[in-house]
Amino acid sequence: MVGMNRTRAALENVVIVAIIFVLVQTFLEDFAVLAGWSWSVRRVLLFTGFAFDIFFSVEFLTRLYFSFVKRRTGTYFWYERGWIDLLASIPLLLLSSGPAVLAYWSGTATIVGFGAILNVLKVVKAIRIARILRLLRVLKIFSRIRHTESAMAQRHVAKISTVAVTVVVVGILAMTVLFSLVGAPSLETAYREQTVRVLTRIDDLQPEGDAGKVALTELADIEPSLLLVQRDGHTLYSRYGNDLYDSDFGSTDYGYGERGDLRVFFDLTLLNQEQSRSNLLYFAMILFIVFAFMFYYSPHFALTVSDPLHIMRRGMSEKGYNLEIKIPPLYEEDEVYRLGQLFNEVYLPLKDRTSAADEPEVLDLKLDDIKDILNE
Amino acid sequence: MSAEHQKATAFVTRLLANPALKSLTPLQREEQIIQFLHANATQLAPTLATPAFFPGASWNQIVALLLGALMDYVNTELFSSLDEIGGGQIDFAYVNFLRQQSVGSDKVQQQAVSLVKTLLAKPEARREFTGAHTALVFKFVDRYLDAVWTRKSYIHFEITKVQRLRMSKEQVKAMIETTLLLKPVVYLVATGGVAGQAEQTSGIVETKFGEKVFLATKKHLNLVPDPVLKSAVSANISFIENRFIEATARIAAIFSARCRNFQPSVRVDRGADSPDKSWLSIARRNYKFYGFDIKMLDEFFSIAAENGW
């Protein structure tokens, strides 16, 4: 039993370390896009993200399995944040890191036919925005940090943090999907329309001729997202050399469209950077929310709710504990302090009178303290 | 010393060495050990009756042995503390001022301390003296009287104008400390905490009984001026019953009660009021029960609040 508890504690520690690392990884993954880090670095981050998603999926399934075995699946899922474990694991594996890794292995993330660029961008957006679920992991670590001595304060602050962070994450996710479905104007739609226009223009240009090549170069000058134009496998235009494509462009950094034997590659970096900027903003927002609850609201809750209750509990259970509750004038109308006032003005004087004839309380002197001489 | 007494002393010494009791005064520690023995009688009795300790002895016999050893051990420390208080802390020079004639302050001190030591042979006197002794050890008089003198409010008025003590602050302090030291004089007459007690639980005595004690004490403490003796006796009388008792007696009564369960190293929880302020606030609500002067409690409460005590 002790051995099992130790293993469990060790595994819980591993999970905590993993959560800390994954938060760093989440930040770095988006920061790398924004900072224009090379693909080789971002590829490592992509795979570590994938590994973390597998790890947390396994963690969730393990917890779910053991909760099922112990017939407390409902308790685990609804009251012990199993739903956070779920949202921050399997959906990410299926919608975010899984497809990204698959795309890397298959060559490109946005393999679509001509005319489907709109759907590509929608998929990219959906995949990108699904990553926000990773931020729920902040809640996983939050629930494991013991930021106050009061179990009640810990629970209340954890609850309110969960509500706030979940509302932010789900709200952003839901609104993004909704805007996508109704076709609300966005950077993606503008990008999509622009790329469709570019595709049509290139097809009309007949870029094989000299005049066509000049026109293509002129078009590329005014269309920075145009990367590469190929017909029948022959490159008609390329913005950069192959070395730069190898070093700076990953599978998620470009998309392409086809019409007959014409194939046009587009740069998605700006779009990705915009998304990463948003993700970092959400990440910072969520961290601020959690820190505000942890370092501002939690002490306030402890000071105005759990501390007075703690003092009353000690006053009622310990004979020699007769300290009054300090009642801040600002909160004297709070129910807790009104109860505290009764404790100060009625209970403690009554306790004092009734215990006047009694012997004083034995302090911290315990039988265990003299166990050795009793056993001699 | 018998083998049994040696074992009892060793056992008691071990209990007294507990770090939890380190910050307490000797009498407070004694009370703790007595309480500990009573509270754990069921578990201790079979073990202490084994051949390793006191074979064949009944629990009552064991307790008697342990309490004897405890009192002997505590007395060493307690009497040394009393000598220190009488010989250094309290400056008995003020006695000459009250008597208007020169009496060796050493003689007064010796007479007072000697009587207290004798009285402390009675368990009930020891119990009653715990608060007064703790107040002396932790210099409560110094702490509050300095503030009283600065404020020059009700308590100062009561001392200087009503009681008419035309003495310096230090001399008044010494008189209040002597009052505390001699507070157990009621046990010269009272036995078992019964005779003359107006209120069993609060430990106060009736005025008439106080007069009887005063006369009896005077015989033993002929060098101590009457106002000091009266103050010491009055420190055991309710102010509600007798509005004329001395300010020094009222102050001593409050400090003695305050220090009954005083713990110098108590941890104040966040959100709780300070120990003195809390105690004085409760005492203000129970002033009739204990026979305290409510106005004095109010002033001490303000002092404690201002100083975070």
Side-chain angles (χ1 to χ4, degrees):
Chain A
M1 195 67 183
V2 176
M4 263 182 75
N5 284 341
R6 276 187 190 163
T7 312
R8 190 188 164 88
L11 286 173
E12 290 290 353
N13 288 336
V14 170
V15 171
I16 289 174
V17 172
I19 295 170
I20 293 167
F21 278 126
V22 83
L23 290 176
V24 174
Q25 186 275 337
T26 303
F27 169 80
L28 285 179
E29 201 171 348
D30 282 315
F31 183 78
V33 173
L34 211 56
W37 288 4
S38 71
W39 171 239
S40 58
V41 177
R42 287 186 290 127
R43 189 173 51 209
V44 171
L45 289 168
L46 177 78
F47 278 101
T48 48
F50 179 63
F52 276 127
D53 288 343
I54 290 176
F55 175 85
F56 287 114
S57 298
V58 171
E59 184 218 354
F60 166 68
L61 292 173
T62 310
R63 287 187 193 277
L64 189 71
Y65 170 75
F66 280 107
S67 69
F68 181 75
V69 168
K70 291 176 185 171
R71 298 186 177 198
R72 53 192 303 280
T73 313
T75 309
Y76 163 65
F77 196 81
W78 297 114
Y79 299 104
E80 293 174 1
R81 299 172 168 222
W83 60 274
I84 293 178
D85 290 345
L86 169 65
L87 285 178
S89 60
I90 295 172
L92 283 160
L93 192 64
L94 298 178
L95 292 173
S96 180
S97 60
V101 168
L102 271 177
Y104 170 77
W105 280 328
S106 61
T108 175
T110 49
I111 310 161
V112 285
F114 177 64
I117 193 82
L118 181 145
N119 292 331
V120 170
L121 294 172
K122 270 189 179 177
V123 170
V124 169
K125 180 74 180 174
I127 287 171
R128 280 301 212 171
I129 201 67
R131 288 170 56 172
I132 199 173
L133 289 171
R134 282 186 182 176
L135 302 182
L136 289 173
R137 287 171 184 160
V138 173
L139 294 173
K140 280 164 72 84
I141 189 86
F142 182 80
S143 66
R144 286 171 167 84
I145 297 172
R146 193 157 177 80
H147 52 88
T148 168
E149 284 178 24
S150 158
M152 183 175 71
Q154 174 97 10
R155 182 169 54 79
H156 275 272
V157 176
K159 191 87 167 175
I160 198 164
S161 308
T162 305
V163 170
V165 171
T166 309
V167 163
V168 169
V169 169
V170 174
I172 292 168
L173 201 63
M175 291 311 289
T176 309
V177 171
L178 187 71
F179 285 147
S180 263
L181 288 175
V182 299
S186 68
L187 200 63
E188 281 78 21
T189 53
Y191 197 86
R192 180 198 70 204
E193 284 160 11
Q194 199 179 352
T195 49
V196 170
R197 261 199 321 271
V198 170
L199 263 170
T200 311
R201 276 194 67 182
I202 292 171
D203 200 29
D204 294 344
L205 277 176
Q206 295 297 321
E208 291 80 3
D210 289 343
K213 280 182 182 170
V214 172
L216 191 59
T217 310
E218 284 171 357
L219 179 66
D221 286 343
I222 55 167
E223 183 45 66
S225 67
L226 184 62
L227 278 182
L228 191 77
V229 179
Q230 289 179 331
R231 192 183 288 276
D232 273 341
H234 298 291
T235 301
L236 303 177
Y237 168 81
S238 178
R239 185 175 294 275
Y240 308 114
N242 282 339
D243 291 345
L244 194 129
Y245 287 130
D246 286 342
S247 64
D248 286 9
F249 282 81
S251 51
T252 55
D253 295 330
Y254 62 92
Y256 69 88
E258 286 177 327
R259 176 177 287 179
D261 52 3
L262 179 71
R263 181 181 268 196
V264 182
F265 290 79
F266 295 98
D267 186 355
L268 298 179
T269 309
L270 278 177
L271 213 57
N272 289 341
Q273 282 180 333
E274 186 54 36
Q275 188 58 56
S276 289
R277 188 180 288 113
S278 300
N279 284 350
L280 286 175
L281 182 73
Y282 303 146
F283 187 66
M285 217 160 73
I286 284 165
L287 282 184
F288 288 148
I289 289 172
V290 168
F291 286 149
F293 280 124
M294 196 186 280
F295 298 114
Y296 174 72
Y297 182 70
S298 178
H300 173 76
F301 186 92
L303 210 66
T304 55
V305 181
S306 42
D307 284 355
L309 293 177
H310 171 72
I311 294 161
M312 281 190 263
R313 187 194 58 73
R314 282 195 72 184
M316 289 179 180
S317 61
E318 295 174 33
K319 198 173 166 185
Y321 191 91
N322 296 308
L323 296 184
E324 286 196 332
I325 291 165
K326 206 185 278 175
I327 299 177
L330 202 60
Y331 307 119
E332 64 187 7
E333 290 305 313
D334 284 11
E335 286 81 352
V336 170
Y337 284 116
R338 283 162 74 181
L339 180 67
Q341 198 167 6
L342 286 173
F343 175 80
N344 288 352
E345 293 175 3
V346 180
Y347 180 78
L348 284 180
L350 188 68
K351 179 187 171 191
D352 185 58
R353 288 197 300 275
T354 51
S355 62
D358 296 349
E359 296 295 334
E361 187 187 32
V362 180
L363 298 172
D364 296 327
L365 205 56
K366 303 274 183 317
L367 265 181
D368 283 350
D369 297 337
I370 53 163
K371 215 178 216 172
D372 53 337
I373 53 169
L374 292 178
N375 292 335
E376 272 171 12
Chain B
M1 191 187 283
S2 71
E4 280 185 335
H5 194 267
Q6 273 181 341
K7 280 182 191 172
T9 305
F11 187 77
V12 161
T13 309
R14 176 61 198 271
L15 285 175
L16 285 165
N18 192 299
L21 308 178
K22 205 176 176 182
S23 60
L24 302 180
T25 58
L27 284 173
Q28 283 180 316
R29 272 188 278 161
E30 183 179 290
E31 278 191 351
Q32 289 291 315
I33 303 295
I34 294 170
Q35 271 303 99
F36 173 78
L37 293 175
H38 289 321
N40 297 290
T42 325
Q43 295 97 313
L44 287 171
T47 313
L48 293 180
T50 57
F53 291 97
F54 314 105
S58 69
W59 175 241
N60 285 342
Q61 289 170 321
I62 294 170
V63 168
L65 267 169
L66 292 175
L67 292 187
L70 177 66
M71 206 185 269
D72 287 347
Y73 191 94
V74 167
N75 276 352
T76 317
E77 216 174 311
L78 177 64
F79 289 175
S80 141
S81 161
L82 288 176
D83 289 336
E84 205 174 295
I85 289 166
Q89 187 175 324
I90 304 174
D91 182 3
F92 280 92
Y94 77 94
V95 170
N96 295 330
F97 176 80
L98 285 175
R99 288 181 68 104
Q100 297 298 321
Q101 60 183 31
S102 180
V103 183
S105 53
D106 286 357
K107 287 179 186 168
V108 181
Q109 175 252 319
Q110 275 166 16
Q111 201 175 53
V113 171
S114 167
L115 179 71
V116 174
K117 283 179 183 174
T118 313
L119 286 170
L120 290 178
K122 297 181 182 183
E124 58 275 14
R126 294 172 82 84
R127 203 165 57 228
E128 197 53 40
F129 187 56
T130 306
H133 180 246
T134 308
L136 287 166
V137 169
F138 290 102
K139 298 188 168 63
F140 259 68
V141 180
D142 270 351
R143 192 203 277 203
Y144 278 93
L145 260 283
D146 285 340
V148 162
W149 238 253
T150 311
R151 293 162 74 101
K152 291 200 167 38
S153 191
Y154 173 74
I155 300 174
H156 185 265
F157 184 84
E158 285 291 305
I159 292 170
T160 56
K161 300 289 191 278
V162 180
Q163 196 175 345
R164 294 184 180 185
L165 290 179
R166 311 244 184 263
M167 302 192 293
S168 69
K169 180 177 76 176
E170 294 308 315
Q171 286 174 319
V172 172
K173 279 185 194 175
M175 183 168 166
I176 296 170
E177 286 183 326
T178 315
T179 304
L180 280 167
L181 181 70
L182 295 175
K183 195 172 176 285
V185 289
V186 282
Y187 290 94
L188 256 181
V189 181
T191 49
V194 177
Q197 277 201 341
E199 177 55 67
Q200 179 69 37
T201 49
S202 60
I204 51 182
V205 298
E206 289 169 354
T207 307
K208 278 185 183 173
F209 181 76
E211 286 163 5
K212 199 172 143 189
V213 171
F214 172 69
L215 293 172
T217 314
K218 234 181 133 173
K219 289 175 195 166
H220 291 84
L221 299 173
N222 60 333
L223 295 176
V224 178
D226 285 1
V228 181
L229 270 188
K230 274 187 183 161
S231 177
V233 175
S234 300
N236 297 284
I237 296 171
S238 167
F239 180 65
I240 308 300
E241 190 206 331
N242 183 351
R243 294 272 162 182
F244 300 102
I245 62 175
E246 300 79 0
T248 47
R250 281 176 265 161
I251 294 169
I254 290 171
F255 288 160
S256 173
R258 162 65 191 108
C259 294
R260 181 85 176 84
N261 296 317
F262 176 73
Q263 291 168 40
S265 54
V266 68
R267 191 176 74 90
V268 178
D269 287 312
R270 193 177 53 182
D273 256 329
S274 54
D276 273 16
K277 194 179 163 206
S278 292
W279 186 89
L280 287 160
S281 174
I282 295 166
R284 282 160 81 202
R285 294 193 180 90
N286 285 339
Y287 78 98
K288 285 182 184 169
F289 181 78
Y290 291 109
F292 294 143
D293 179 351
I294 180 74
K295 287 183 181 173
M296 276 194 180
L297 289 172
D298 286 343
E299 191 171 337
F300 284 139
F301 176 82
S302 300
I303 292 169
E306 278 168 17
N307 292 283
W309 293 337

